[in-house]
Amino acid sequence: MMNQYDTRMTKIGFITIQIMDHEIKVLEFGEKVIPDSVYGKSESLDLAFLQLEEYFDGKRKTFSLPLNPDGTEFQKKVWKELLKIPYGETRCYQDLAIGIGNEKASRAIGMANHNNPIAIMIPCHRVIGKNGSLVGYAGGIETKIELLELEKKWK
């Protein structure tokens, strides 16, 4: 098992992606150093950054990459539900809670969303407050707005 990562400049700033055995483990905003990983290029990383570039250019609405985020069973259930939110649409935490069959789990879903290790590809930016407010985002609210506007533009 080899962990690799790379940081590249994208249309929304630096993004760091980590892979393990050709599966995406992490996508974070900014230039990061990922412990226990080797910095460098690979076909899997090239493909991940290519698909991101296509997404930013409006040419890709879904990612066709193997995603394997580390998390609890509950978190993985929430992240799977996030993948069901259509491109260019948003959902609130309560919608996700209903989707996983636990109407009262909105706060726990918020925490799972907050801990999503693969931003953009697992589209946590598509989650908004029940009243339509843009709640926190790992890349910053400005980045969340930019991603939502990008998807509206190309929908």
Side-chain angles (χ1 to χ4, degrees):
M1 284 199 245
M2 178 142 128
N3 292 340
Q4 282 185 281
Y5 75 98
D6 193 7
T7 299
R8 299 185 192 175
M9 177 56 86
T10 70
K11 290 187 166 134
I12 62 166
F14 283 105
I15 287 183
T16 300
I17 297 177
Q18 178 197 29
I19 58 167
M20 178 194 286
D21 295 331
H22 309 289
E23 296 177 322
I24 307 242
K25 301 297 279 179
V26 172
L27 187 157
E28 292 184 332
F29 298 99
E31 294 181 89
K32 308 282 182 177
V33 173
I34 300 180
D36 303 320
S37 293
V38 176
Y39 179 82
K41 309 238 182 281
S42 73
E43 283 184 31
S44 296
L45 285 165
D46 287 344
L47 181 59
F49 279 105
L50 172 66
Q51 288 195 16
L52 265 182
E53 187 177 315
E54 291 170 345
Y55 168 81
F56 293 135
D57 289 342
K59 297 174 184 164
R60 174 170 294 279
K61 294 187 166 76
T62 58
F63 294 93
S64 58
L65 298 162
L67 306 178
N68 189 7
D70 290 328
T72 66
E73 288 310 308
F74 178 80
Q75 288 172 326
K76 289 178 182 184
K77 193 175 189 180
V78 171
W79 300 334
K80 221 174 241 180
E81 195 66 23
L82 290 172
L83 290 168
K84 295 177 186 176
I85 304 173
Y87 179 93
E89 294 185 22
T90 58
R91 299 289 184 271
C92 70
Y93 295 105
Q94 187 174 18
D95 295 332
L96 294 170
I98 292 166
I100 66 164
N102 187 348
E103 286 183 46
K104 300 195 184 301
S106 293
R107 281 197 181 177
I109 284 173
M111 285 308 300
N113 203 42
H114 172 77
N115 290 312
N116 171 17
I118 306 177
I120 302 173
M121 293 178 184
I122 298 177
C124 53
H125 61 279
R126 295 180 188 153
V127 180
I128 60 173
K130 190 173 182 180
N131 63 1
S133 63
L134 297 177
V135 290
Y137 187 61
I141 293 294
E142 303 78 24
T143 301
K144 183 173 189 156
I145 292 168
E146 193 172 352
L147 293 172
L148 293 173
E149 290 296 321
L150 176 140
E151 291 186 10
K152 254 190 237 173
K153 176 182 174 183
W154 298 112
K155 187 172 178 194

